[in-house]
Amino acid sequence: MPSSETDSSASPLYLGIDVGTGSARAAIFTVEGAQVGEAIACPIRLYKPEGFPLLYQQSSEDIWRAVCRAVRGALACGALATSTEKNAGRNTVVADGGRIESEGLCATEDIRKRVVALAIDATCSLVVLGADDRPVSVTPEDTTAMEEEGGEEDIPNVILWLDHRATAEAAEINAKGKAGREGIGGEDGKAVANRLRFVGDNLSPENEVPKLLWLKRHLKKRVWGVEEEEEEEEMETEEKGKQPVREGEKRQCQARFWDLGDYLSYRATKGEAGRGGGVAGGRHGAEEVRSLCCVASKWMYAQGEDGGRWDQKFLSSIGLGDLGPAQLGSLIRRPGEVWGKLDRNAAVDLGLAGDRSEGQSSSSSSSSSSTPILVGVGAVDAFAGAIGSLGGPLGETPAVCRLEGGGEGGGGGKAERGGGGDGGRKGGGGGDEGRQREGGRCHVPMEARLALISGTSTCHLSCSPSPVFCPNVWGPFYDVLGTGAWVSEGGISASGKLIDLLLESHPAYLEAQRKARLHEEFGPWQHGHGTGYVQQYLNKHLASMAGARGLPSLALLTVHLHVGPDFAGNRSPIGDPALTGSLIGLGLDAASLDALALLYLATLQALALGTQHILEALHAAGHPGGISHLCVSGGLGLKNDLFCQVHADVTHCTLVLPPAGTEGVLLGSAMLAATAAGRYATVQEAMRGMSRGTGERRLVCPCEDPRVQAFYAGKRDVFHAMREDQVRYRARMKEAMGEGGGTEV
């Protein structure tokens, strides 16, 4: 490991890049993990084909431009005086259409020279490229027009993670797996069942494999490059009774497929590898590399403690035998390894080009006048959040935040002081087992921590030393964090997106928006994008409502209002994409501002109950010990105190928030960059080392009031009953309409 740098003005910096559903972000970190600058580029354009409500598409070119704007903005924002660097808080700019707005110092050149490595995380969206890296449209053939946000110059070649076009394909694969488990599916059924064990025996339409099958069935000529006469010849051969053409012997697909983060890493390195100058060059070019995190968790790559492979028997069994390493990647690398050197053209795009010999410490530069920037192998965005939030001791701060309660006039709502790190938990899973105390700090074992990454959706990632097979929870995936652990992934497909939907569609939203804008303290949250500042206003409004009614906790306001949160189906632990959302308890005042606030609160409670359901499923499946701490990252959890407090109260867990000025997803990618650069020997070392400079963590503890606990016990029963009732209602209506007589929406 390189020696410690003594001159902070010349010490290396690490760039983390995160691409979410609607924006790209970039942030710069020191070797200790202090964040010295961040920028956000939004929105990323969304392409929706007319007549296809479940389809969501984006353009890889538009996403790359957003990444470039974000990185240039982060460089401008991160140009801080050396003397203030250690204590720098969050310095964020908005990078919109190439325009940078920042109140910070702008010595961008000095910061640029110190960036030695970067890593990229992104949503698990599917990118399709044809010959010469040309984008291939994923729009259905029978679509005549596009509803677009933005211009028309880009080709929508990205199937967004939340796109559910492949629901039928996923159901078909699951049926084969079920037959295989029951011993009636033959060899194909066995092959499928064996692979589905690693996604909770239930493949989601959000997985990339069903989407590949959809592309082959609906856009084969465009994507596979197979002419109609070739397909007819194959069919004629089989119809004449000749030996069928085996799946693997058919003409191979001409396209290549990428997880979005992998595509961006390839885009950043492809020129250097092509000239043989990159670490990933030679026989294995940058186009052959993929992240183990991406392919194992989203592409059904078979990875175990004894190695990994593309399971060709599984692919052939589901009709994708003509895909393999040539299209999906042949060089699978762990997060934190080196993908390659930053390509010259990409460096120009990102604002990282130029003479880099000055401003670099002797430990991180050579005598060359063009020290290369390394690109580390990245991760899926949620997994980067786990890397950035799970490391280090959790009891570093004595501050225990009590955010729940009536606030002004409602009781509670003030910060208490406490020691240790158990946060006054009561009745939570795991108790104090396995904890060690040193000097007043509480060290919680990794098995007792769960990463809660909340944004458009919510992901729940837990680690264990041995595989835990949990029905309808994705995984277990081996070593996808680069730490040697087995990882299980639960999730809620729509969380932030659900909150936005219910707020923006409510008659009182404009009134709430107007009142929120009168309060400078609320924002604009997310720099004016989204409903966040309205959420901040509603949090305060709910506290006032509880105070006016003399309630001990604002949670009790929704005693007769209940939300079923499965508006985008249920990812975990039911695994039913056909489930829909529901509301119970609306009255004639449903259009009022108070009614909007209550609907918003009931939605937060429903999302927390969904998290509790996942925790219960993991425990029932044999997750070691008990999960006692939820480590938060992602915009929704970090910027909404009430979201965190409700989660703490419902799950009886302590929520661990990063220090102000640090965001776990971006930090996780920066940790991978620092590992790729050799500053840390392993990802685990980076997780520990880069937690040092992030300051005090904040703990949100569950409410101990027995009235609140009894309230949520009742809410939990109603939550489960609503879902069971919906399944029963659907079955009854299917029976009433007769087979094939109903219409599925």
Side-chain angles (χ1 to χ4, degrees):
M1 181 185 301
S3 60
S4 299
E5 295 79 8
T6 57
D7 182 3
S8 62
S9 66
S11 61
L13 297 172
Y14 305 95
L15 178 62
I17 300 170
D18 166 54
V19 179
T21 303
S23 65
R25 301 182 301 158
I28 300 168
F29 294 85
T30 68
V31 70
E32 294 87 8
Q35 183 171 315
V36 297
E38 177 186 351
I40 303 171
C42 53
I44 294 174
R45 295 169 181 167
L46 181 67
Y47 297 77
K48 284 190 62 63
E50 282 188 353
F52 293 86
L54 298 181
L55 273 60
Y56 297 87
Q57 304 175 170
Q58 291 179 332
S59 160
S60 61
E61 290 298 315
D62 181 54
I63 293 170
W64 177 253
R65 288 194 296 268
V67 167
C68 294
R69 294 198 305 273
V71 171
R72 287 176 174 270
L75 291 171
C77 185
L80 302 173
T82 304
S83 60
T84 65
E85 187 173 274
K86 286 187 177 180
N87 297 317
R90 166 160 286 179
N91 300 280
T92 307
V93 300
V94 181
D96 188 5
R99 176 171 54 88
I100 306 298
E101 299 176 356
S102 175
E103 297 179 358
L105 303 176
C106 293
T108 307
E109 185 70 8
D110 294 335
I111 294 296
R112 178 188 61 75
K113 291 178 180 178
R114 293 168 55 194
V115 175
V116 298
L118 64 88
I120 306 171
D121 70 77
T123 63
C124 51
S125 301
L126 190 155
V127 182
V128 184
L129 298 181
D132 301 321
D133 289 347
R134 289 182 294 100
V136 177
S137 173
V138 294
T139 303
E141 295 281 6
D142 51 353
T143 300
T144 57
M146 298 285 292
E147 299 174 0
E148 301 179 0
E149 295 180 4
E152 301 178 357
E153 70 274 14
D154 294 323
I155 296 173
N157 66 318
V158 179
I159 301 178
L160 198 59
W161 65 269
L162 55 77
D163 185 293
H164 275 208
R165 71 182 68 197
T167 297
E169 284 74 15
E172 178 183 319
I173 295 170
N174 287 329
K176 286 185 178 180
K178 183 174 184 293
R181 290 191 297 275
E182 295 173 351
I184 58 175
E187 291 302 314
D188 284 354
K190 289 181 182 178
V192 175
N194 287 337
R195 288 304 320 136
L196 294 190
R197 288 185 66 223
F198 292 89
V199 287
D201 291 325
N202 194 349
L203 191 61
S204 166
E206 295 173 16
N207 188 280
E208 310 295 19
V209 169
K211 293 173 182 175
L212 290 172
L213 189 56
W214 185 94
L215 288 171
K216 183 174 183 179
R217 288 177 172 175
H218 296 271
L219 299 176
K220 186 171 185 178
K221 181 178 179 181
R222 184 195 303 168
V223 176
W224 254 246
V226 177
E227 299 296 336
E228 292 181 5
E229 52 266 26
E230 293 180 271
E231 291 187 80
E232 293 173 0
E233 183 178 339
E234 292 173 357
M235 293 174 60
E236 183 179 351
T237 298
E238 296 181 7
E239 287 174 358
K240 289 182 178 180
K242 298 180 181 179
Q243 184 68 27
V245 180
R246 294 182 180 179
E247 194 75 36
E249 296 175 353
K250 297 179 181 180
R251 177 176 173 179
Q252 283 198 330
C253 174
Q254 302 303 298
R256 287 178 296 154
F257 306 98
W258 308 80
D259 218 57
L260 178 56
D262 281 353
Y263 163 77
L264 294 170
S265 298
Y266 164 62
R267 177 72 176 261
T269 58
K270 62 178 181 178
E272 286 296 318
R275 287 190 288 271
V279 178
R283 189 174 70 85
H284 293 292
E287 72 277 3
E288 304 297 331
V289 182
R290 297 293 190 278
S291 167
L292 173 62
C293 179
C294 297
V295 297
S297 66
K298 308 302 174 187
W299 296 73
M300 303 300 287
Y301 181 79
Q303 175 72 14
E305 295 178 357
D306 57 348
R309 61 186 172 83
W310 289 109
D311 189 340
Q312 293 295 157
K313 190 171 183 180
F314 164 73
L315 292 173
S316 295
S317 297
I318 62 172
L320 292 174
D322 48 357
L323 295 184
Q327 298 81 21
L328 305 176
S330 61
L331 188 57
I332 311 303
R333 289 180 168 162
R334 300 166 72 237
E337 294 185 1
V338 177
W339 189 298
K341 298 176 184 177
L342 183 64
D343 168 67
R344 299 171 190 174
N345 293 329
V348 172
D349 291 347
L350 296 168
L352 291 168
D355 182 2
R356 299 177 39 75
S357 59
E358 299 179 9
Q360 300 228 4
S361 67
S362 60
S363 64
S364 61
S365 65
S366 67
S367 59
S368 170
S369 62
S370 57
T371 305
I373 296 176
L374 294 179
V375 177
V377 176
V380 176
D381 54 356
F383 291 75
I387 293 169
S389 62
L390 288 176
L394 303 186
E396 295 178 347
T397 172
V400 179
C401 303
R402 285 295 305 143
L403 304 171
E404 171 274 331
E408 295 181 6
K414 66 177 182 179
E416 300 176 357
R417 306 295 292 180
D422 58 358
R425 274 189 63 261
K426 189 172 183 180
D432 291 323
E433 296 179 10
R435 300 185 188 182
Q436 297 177 353
R437 290 188 177 276
E438 296 179 9
R441 292 184 178 184
C442 180
H443 294 265
V444 180
M446 188 62 70
E447 295 80 15
R449 313 180 190 193
L450 179 137
L452 182 73
I453 306 96
S454 296
T456 303
S457 62
T458 297
C459 291
H460 310 74
L461 298 178
S462 62
C463 300
S464 61
S466 57
V468 175
F469 292 91
C470 182
N472 301 313
V473 170
W474 302 345
F477 307 123
Y478 179 66
D479 203 21
V480 290
L481 300 182
T483 62
W486 289 88
V487 177
S488 297
E489 180 187 5
I492 299 172
S493 292
S495 49
K497 188 173 181 65
L498 173 59
I499 293 171
D500 288 347
L501 170 68
L502 294 180
L503 291 184
E504 292 174 340
S505 61
H506 196 277
Y509 178 69
L510 292 179
E511 179 185 356
Q513 192 177 52
R514 177 179 57 80
K515 290 186 175 181
R517 286 173 175 166
L518 296 177
H519 295 266
E520 294 182 1
E521 62 186 289
F522 296 142
W525 191 71
Q526 285 189 340
H527 311 284
H529 298 279
T531 65
Y533 67 103
V534 175
Q535 295 175 40
Q536 300 279 15
Y537 166 75
L538 292 176
N539 290 350
K540 190 169 184 178
H541 186 74
L542 286 164
S544 298
M545 290 176 64
R549 301 183 189 186
L551 297 176
S553 168
L554 62 82
L556 308 184
L557 287 166
T558 59
V559 65
H560 295 305
L561 180 63
H562 310 283
V563 173
D566 299 318
F567 281 63
N570 183 280
R571 184 189 296 177
S572 306
I574 301 299
D576 185 355
L579 284 173
T580 56
S582 56
L583 303 173
I584 292 179
L586 298 180
L588 289 177
D589 65 340
S592 68
L593 179 60
D594 283 358
L596 170 62
L598 295 178
L599 178 61
Y600 159 71
L601 174 58
T603 303
L604 295 183
Q605 293 168 336
L607 294 172
L609 288 162
T611 293
Q612 183 189 38
H613 196 192
I614 292 169
L615 293 175
E616 291 169 348
L618 287 169
H619 178 73
H623 180 82
I627 294 171
S628 60
H629 287 67
L630 309 184
C631 301
V632 179
S633 60
L636 178 58
L638 294 184
K639 297 173 182 177
N640 191 324
D641 292 345
L642 187 57
F643 174 89
C644 293
Q645 188 61 62
V646 170
H647 260 78
D649 294 345
V650 169
T651 65
H652 305 293
C653 292
T654 297
L655 268 69
V656 183
L657 280 67
T662 302
E663 203 287 307
V665 178
L666 286 164
L667 177 60
S669 281
M671 289 174 173
L672 297 179
T675 305
R679 182 59 184 85
Y680 293 98
T682 65
V683 175
Q684 295 99 311
E685 284 190 14
M687 291 171 67
R688 290 191 295 267
M690 294 183 76
S691 297
R692 293 176 296 169
T694 56
E696 292 190 344
R697 300 189 183 198
R698 297 165 289 160
L699 305 181
V700 180
C701 311
C703 178
E704 300 179 14
D705 189 325
R707 292 168 294 184
V708 174
Q709 295 177 11
F711 170 80
Y712 278 123
K715 275 277 188 181
R716 176 185 178 277
D717 291 343
V718 174
F719 175 83
H720 290 298
M722 288 175 68
R723 183 179 291 120
E724 294 164 0
D725 287 346
Q726 181 183 151
V727 173
R728 188 166 65 252
Y729 299 158
R730 293 174 70 95
R732 178 64 186 93
M733 293 311 298
K734 183 177 181 179
E735 176 188 1
M737 299 301 294
E739 196 66 34
T743 301
E744 293 292 330
V745 179

